[in-house]
Amino acid sequence: MPSAPLSSPVPLSVLDLVPVSSGSTPRQALERTVELARRAEAAGYHRYWLAEHHLARGVASSAPALVIGLVAGATGRIRVGSAAVQLGHHTALSVVEQFGTLDALYPGRIDLGLGRSGHRGSPRAGTAGAAVPERAGEAPSAAREARWVDGVLIPAPFSPRGLLESPYFAVQQALLQLPGAVSPAYPEQVDEIRALLAGDYRSAGGVEAHAVPGEGADLQLWVLGSSGGESARVAGERGLPFAANYHVSPGTILETVQAYRDAFRPSAELTRPHVVVSADVVVGPDDGTARRLASGYGLWVRSIRTGRGAIPFPSPREAAGHRWTEADRALVADRVDTQLVGSARTVVEGLRRLRAVTDADELLITTITHDHADRVRSYELLADAWRQGGAA
């Protein structure tokens, strides 16, 4: 029998990158995602969100709308959605039609999370115009040292400039974007999506357009962001719920949520700000076992940040065989040091502190281990502990 939802007072939800472990296949990763979604629903998780990543051997989440359909069809209660659609690679109409179709099939259960990834505001050809994502106050932030805030580590912010200037990024942009096409400004795309969903879209010349399916869809619209820049402002100014990425950019989490709250204006969707904060988590039966299960994480993050794209997630044995340099350790330190790893009690305490520091309304949990059974068990151990008082 399904457990009671983890909804009081702070819900827990799942963020799934559909990881491919070393020695496994994308098909296995997708099958495991469906199984994990069923188990997460039974454990009481509130949402199940799928990421969008491209050209990475270690993740199979390149087509989130398709996987959302698989997950929604295999479950019955849990909300299912995107975290997040990379709007720089999609038109507003294509997004509304895809998610309108999902809502028509699974009404009232679909979340549409929007992200700025891929946005450059310039021709989509080669690497021309490629820009570092907005990082509000980049110069002061870059100079800021790591600090602890009420038991939560806020590391020095990581600059993605080197990654975005890599040959891998250039190939990714070339393959994802049509030559000569121009992305609308991000706020404009968000407004187009809202208008198409509401049925009041008008072109610059006053011509109506109606998305079918899509118009009138009962979607919950979200904005995701990793800085206090444009995404946070867009979400706040439009009164939309916002998801802030501690697991991706822990060094900017506080300025990110504050920028959203400062920009917030009440809307038909929300009368007050609503924030989800993500966290990277591995739970084991004890702290030592959990650390072993999580040992491949640093090597996996290193593969991303060196411009290779995510590798298949290493086993503990493979991770133990890697020789780390000081430069390697520095490259991934912010992510490794902020991953919450340990027994359920240890991780619950870390999540409670993170929630308190950010005043999060919900927490979004992402977990990757080499063995699927360990990953499922991590989510179940956390759910049990959270239900027994962790959310208080």
Side-chain angles (χ1 to χ4, degrees), residues 193-209:
I193 288 171
R194 297 181 77 197
L196 287 165
L197 289 171
D200 56 13
Y201 177 88
R202 302 292 185 276
S203 71
V207 179
E208 296 183 10

Side-chain angles (χ1 to χ4, degrees), residues 2-6 37-47 72 74-80 108-109:
S3 301
L6 305 171
R38 291 189 180 119
R39 299 283 286 270
E41 180 174 68
Y45 284 88
H46 183 47
R47 308 178 194 274
T75 54
R77 171 194 59 79
I78 197 168
R79 298 192 64 90
V80 189
R109 293 180 56 207

Side-chain angles (χ1 to χ4, degrees), residues 13 28 81 102 121-122 133 162 190 205 235 250 259 263 327 361 376-377:
S13 296
Q28 289 173 310
L102 289 167
S122 59
V190 174
D361 299 284
V376 172
R377 186 60 176 154

Side-chain angles (χ1 to χ4, degrees), residues 293-313:
L293 297 178
S295 60
Y297 181 71
L299 194 56
W300 183 78
V301 172
R302 176 184 175 275
S303 70
I304 298 169
R305 289 190 167 176
T306 53
R308 299 164 54 195
I311 60 172
F313 197 82

Side-chain angles (χ1 to χ4, degrees), residues 270-295:
L270 291 176
T271 58
R272 57 175 295 275
H274 188 93
V275 177
V276 168
V277 172
S278 65
D280 221 309
V281 164
V282 174
V283 179
D286 55 71
D287 288 354
T289 300
R291 285 193 293 270
R292 182 180 63 81
L293 297 178
S295 60

